Amino acid sequence: MDAYIDPALIPRLWIGWSLALGATAAHLCFAWLARTPSNDLGARLRRLLGAGISLGTGIWSAHAIGASIDPAGVSAGYDLGTEFAVWLLAVAASMTVFGWSDTRSAARQAWLPAACSVGTAIAIVQVLGMAASGWQPGIDWRVAGQLLLAWLCCLAGSVAAFGLLRSLRGKHSRMQMLGGLGASVGLSAGVVAGQHLLGLAADLPMQSASALVERMSAGALTALGSLASLGLLLISHVLLGRHERELAARLQARRVLGAQSLNDPLTGLPNRSLFEGTLTQAVQQADAGQLRLALLFINLDRFQPINQSSGHHAGDQLLCEVAKRLRSLSQPHMTARLAGDEFLVLLTGNPQPEAASALAASLLDAIGRPFTVDGRDTSMSCSIGVAMYPEHGAMSTLIDHADNAMRAAKMAGGASHAFFEARMVKGTRDQMDLLRDLRVALERGQLELYYQPKIHAPSGEITGAEALIRWHHPQRGMVSPAVFIPIAERYGLIGALGQWVIEEACRQTRAWRDGGLRMRVAINLSVHQLRQADLADRIGAALARHQVNPDLLTCELTESSAMDDTEVTMRVLGQLAVVGVHISIDDFGTGHSSLSYLRKLPAKELKIDRSFVMDLETSEDARKIASAVINLAKALDLQVVAEGVETEAQNRILRDFGCDQLQGYLFARPMSAKALALWAMDDVGPRTMNFRESLFKATMPAPAG
């Protein structure tokens, strides 16, 4: 049975198809316009181009499909180039209107002029498309009422669509979706209705022929319009999808960057910026309810050796584990990593000092439990400063005051907590002043090395000297090393200070050598210098620069610093031994070195700590320890130096025990290099003692000493 389609139904099918294409085009146009205008010119052009192509294609498709509805009763003809120009005009007009509306709608109040402009542009494009069809004898638009009605129809569809979309802003997504579909259908209906009303306004039944009938028929234009419109709208849809994915990726990247900017990338804890926002809110709530807060400032003790000995990877592992333990004992979002090995914990809920102290004790206990880093158990402790709000200051100073309290706990030995006190601020300011002045002192030569002679115990002759740093402060006078050395260590100046000592000791040794005095000089190395990978190279370079024989330099390090990181110490001392300097273990007896470890060190000398020397006359235990240390050193073929000798009785006891060298106020106080040279050359000194003859040698021709 042959299929039969009622000819009267065909125009309705074309109208339905035109409505569907128009609604799709309008929907894509609205989707493009829904993208927020960007400050990037390329992104703005892509948005306008997508919306313009979508709507322009929808307008032109109504014209192209309308060609198959033959109201004139004659065969119509069309020109491909002209049709392309009409489509291009529709796209350009749409883009122009949307671009203009973007510049006018900062306050979102210019939708009505924009909608009217869109409706007018639709009507104008349709008029031009109708006029370009080559009708004969030609359109004179005598039916003005229908022309006005066609324009009003396009205007009504556009205003209704844009007005509906504006009214749906801020509604839930389902309502916005349904409203968007309604707006698309409304705009499409206005376009299609305007197109057919325009045919009536043109009075097409009065036309007798088309000049373009031989070029392209109405059916061909309809087919081309359908296929081309489908293709263009599909491309617009694909580009819109890509554009949305790019925007989503950009938004996600922005979120990630935002999260990274507010969170510590290593531990995932809030950083200082985010924590300060949390602290601000907490302070506001505390002020409103007249409540208390407690801020805990946590700093790990001796964290740097972990990085130095096991590497930064191990240090990062340790910091992550510390962060987990702190987070488990604090309220959500109340723990932050400030910097390095410093953390903050905020305690809310109107805590009393006892509650803050209990939390600090819990944190100390948690950090004190062993950590497993790279398969090895590692012990760690921390120092905690506590500042209460509002007792201990305003919000702007709370973190600094907790920091001051932490430093007080650390200076007391660490592994403890301390509450803020007003005196701590003054102490910190004084330290900052001294730190500033110490930097200036390094630059301006206000530092000086004094030298305390070492005495050969059996003969009483002077064999060398220990270099001791002194600071001539222009306002404070002589500042003790016990004051400024800890400040230099705490604030990272010890490296520069230690390098100055190395350079100055080598320079002075060369100066003495040039004057005929071959004096061996001992310098002290701090635990911070031992962590410098290039320490041996620095010392070797200084010796070479000043042409000093390495045999004339002794490097002293305390027993506790030697045991702080045995692996690093062994490596550095091995490098120093290769350079050729002497190694001396200072303050022996106060640390915890084992005999097996001591035997492996490339040391040539032990120095008995002054605390044992002081009690030699009154304590049998002190005498036993001194005797045992001397015998131990002899067994290991090491020289023994006793420091802090102040009485003849101490001198006699140590000589009887077989001590090799003595040092202390009994023989001489530390003196300037010039005073020591005068004593050696002119015998002008505090005691009648001789310098060993081997110290006086010709300076030429051997420049290295």
Side-chain angles (χ1 to χ4, degrees), residues 58 189 267 275 308 344 358 436 454 489 511 514 519 645 662 696:
T267 64
F275 184 83
Q308 295 288 343
L344 294 169
R436 179 200 61 220
K454 290 183 177 181
E489 290 178 339
D514 291 341
M519 179 72 72
V645 181
L662 306 172
F696 300 93

Side-chain angles (χ1 to χ4, degrees), residues 401-415:
H401 288 178
D403 184 9
N404 291 330
M406 179 278 294
R407 295 186 185 281
K410 192 174 286 289
M411 291 180 65

Side-chain angles (χ1 to χ4, degrees), residues 7-90:
L9 186 61
I10 293 177
R12 299 175 187 174
L13 292 175
W14 284 127
I15 290 174
W17 176 235
S18 184
L19 281 170
L21 275 180
T24 303
H27 179 72
L28 284 171
C29 173
F30 294 148
W32 277 105
L33 293 178
R35 305 298 97 198
T36 303
S38 171
N39 291 326
D40 178 56
L41 181 59
R44 291 182 63 186
L45 287 176
R46 286 195 298 271
R47 171 178 174 271
L48 292 177
L49 187 60
I53 288 177
S54 299
L55 184 59
T57 299
I59 297 171
W60 178 77
S61 68
H63 157 70
I65 295 173
S68 291
I69 305 172
D70 192 5
V74 295
S75 297
Y78 301 91
D79 179 69
L80 183 59
T82 303
E83 292 301 323
F84 177 73
V86 172
W87 172 81
L88 202 59
L89 180 62

